[in-house]
Amino acid sequence: MLRVLLGAVVAATLLSAETYHVYYLGGQSNMDGYGKVGELSADLRGVNNAVPIFHGNPTPDGAAGGGLGVWAKLRPGHGAGFSADSTANKYSNRFGIEVTFVRRLNELRPGEKIALIKYSRGGTSIDETAARWFGSWEADFIGGPQQYSGVNQYDNFLSTLKNAFAERDIDGDGASDVLIPAGILWMQGESDAVTAVVAGRYERNLKRLMDLMRAALRVDDLPVVIGRISDSGEDKDGKVWNFGDVVRQAQQDFVDSDTAAAIVTETDKYGYSDPYHYDTNGYVELGKRFAEAIHSIRPE
């Protein structure tokens, strides 16, 4: 009798295991998200119990704690100002693309379980010469204002993945879940548009970084969606990013040369809350466009 009962418990546990398609969200501040939670519609403001998210703690290069976090149910508050440690999330009053990305992807791919891993940091560049005090995604970068550890943004990305994948029961139902990397969503490039030389290296740098991220997620042709940078024009010369057009073309050239990549170009239509960041409606729309783009290139 005891054997029968134990067998039933094991069977029930196995039946509760879920397979999640995991999307990584990375980049700089427009991936962080500056949408205002208080301006979201009521149907987007609550907790999405169906979608687990691991949001790695964003830190500068050379600082401790980068990539720490916990799996939790998706809710608004994973925008600028979010932080985490190994025990809890500290939510902000801002949100990014994640809220409407999952909503739209659920419409396009009904029945598919979605999980998110996010690590982004405002102001960061790929090119190490543009890192300043924000940080660089160049894997070999060891410089910056805090030079004592050699930890850069790519290292923080790796720590985020390590910490996220170390947890096997991401939805807390008592069963180990299956996590399948399904795509990379990348919104970044403004900080690489500051000089002609740095902007001119962007396509090469972007390809190297996406290749490394795909390797870290162990899928060589993992779908990648790039969000094209745009410009508010709120500067004396009418351009916030003086070499933004060079980076925009580099983003398009990368996508054109990669059969598993797509680009979101609707960013030119969005309003701004300040010279650098989209307004709430912009992030609502950007999440939807990322979902449509990844759906268009993901194998069925």
Side-chain angles (χ1 to χ4, degrees):
M1 183 64 169
L2 179 59
R3 186 176 300 173
V4 172
L5 289 173
L6 289 174
V9 170
V10 171
T13 302
L14 290 173
L15 286 173
S16 64
E18 298 284 1
T19 297
Y20 286 93
H21 290 80
V22 181
Y23 297 87
Y24 169 71
L25 285 61
Q28 58 181 110
S29 60
N30 276 317
M31 181 56 85
D32 289 348
Y34 276 74
K36 296 179 180 179
V37 173
E39 294 178 353
L40 279 171
S41 59
D43 65 318
L44 292 174
R45 212 176 294 166
V47 176
N48 189 331
N49 289 309
V51 179
I53 180 171
F54 186 100
H55 191 163
N57 185 48
T59 64
D61 289 0
L68 293 178
V70 294
W71 282 100
K73 304 301 185 185
L74 177 63
R75 49 159 285 184
H78 287 274
F82 172 92
S83 62
D85 57 26
S86 58
T87 62
N89 292 328
K90 184 178 180 181
Y91 298 100
S92 72
N93 62 354
R94 304 285 179 149
F95 72 93
I97 70 165
E98 56 278 345
V99 175
T100 50
F101 170 76
V102 298
R103 174 72 66 90
R104 181 65 179 130
L105 197 59
N106 278 148
E107 295 171 349
L108 295 168
R109 307 178 83 88
E112 181 174 288
K113 291 279 188 177
I114 298 169
L116 304 178
I117 297 175
K118 183 172 181 177
Y119 180 86
S120 56
R121 175 167 159 78
T124 52
S125 64
I126 302 179
D127 198 292
E128 62 186 56
T129 64
R132 298 171 292 166
W133 55 88
F134 297 108
S136 171
W137 293 84
E138 164 53 45
D140 294 329
F141 182 54
I142 59 172
Q146 302 180 58
Q147 299 183 18
Y148 59 85
S149 75
V151 175
N152 56 51
Q153 296 304 296
Y154 182 73
D155 294 320
N156 288 340
F157 156 75
L158 292 179
S159 294
T160 299
L161 291 191
K162 179 182 177 181
N163 293 331
F165 283 103
E167 176 59 63
R168 300 310 303 165
D169 177 18
I170 69 170
D171 53 19
D173 67 356
S176 294
D177 300 304
V178 178
L179 307 183
I180 302 174
I184 295 170
L185 314 180
W186 185 254
M187 186 73 226
Q188 187 274 339
E190 294 93 339
S191 291
D192 291 83
V194 291
T195 72
V197 173
V198 172
R201 293 196 288 252
Y202 191 78
E203 182 185 1
R204 182 191 70 190
N205 289 340
L206 180 62
K207 181 182 185 309
R208 168 175 158 79
L209 181 59
M210 292 301 107
D211 286 347
L212 288 170
M213 286 185 167
R214 281 166 162 163
L217 289 161
R218 301 183 181 183
V219 183
D220 289 343
D221 57 349
L222 188 65
V224 170
V225 175
I226 303 297
R228 190 172 71 182
I229 67 168
S230 56
D231 200 303
S232 69
E234 297 180 24
D235 197 41
K236 291 179 180 179
D237 64 357
K239 275 189 173 183
V240 174
W241 315 114
N242 291 333
F243 298 93
D245 288 341
V246 178
V247 170
R248 283 159 59 92
Q249 186 59 54
Q251 292 176 318
Q252 185 65 58
D253 291 343
F254 166 77
V255 170
D256 289 344
S257 65
D258 191 309
T259 58
I263 190 167
V264 172
T265 60
E266 285 84 358
T267 48
D268 290 347
K269 303 174 184 177
Y270 301 155
Y272 284 78
S273 60
D274 60 50
Y276 315 103
H277 307 113
Y278 307 122
D279 60 16
T280 296
N281 288 334
Y283 291 106
V284 168
E285 291 303 312
L286 186 57
K288 298 174 185 177
R289 302 294 87 80
F290 264 103
E292 291 163 359
I294 199 76
H295 174 68
S296 72
I297 58 173
R298 258 202 58 200
E300 294 297 329

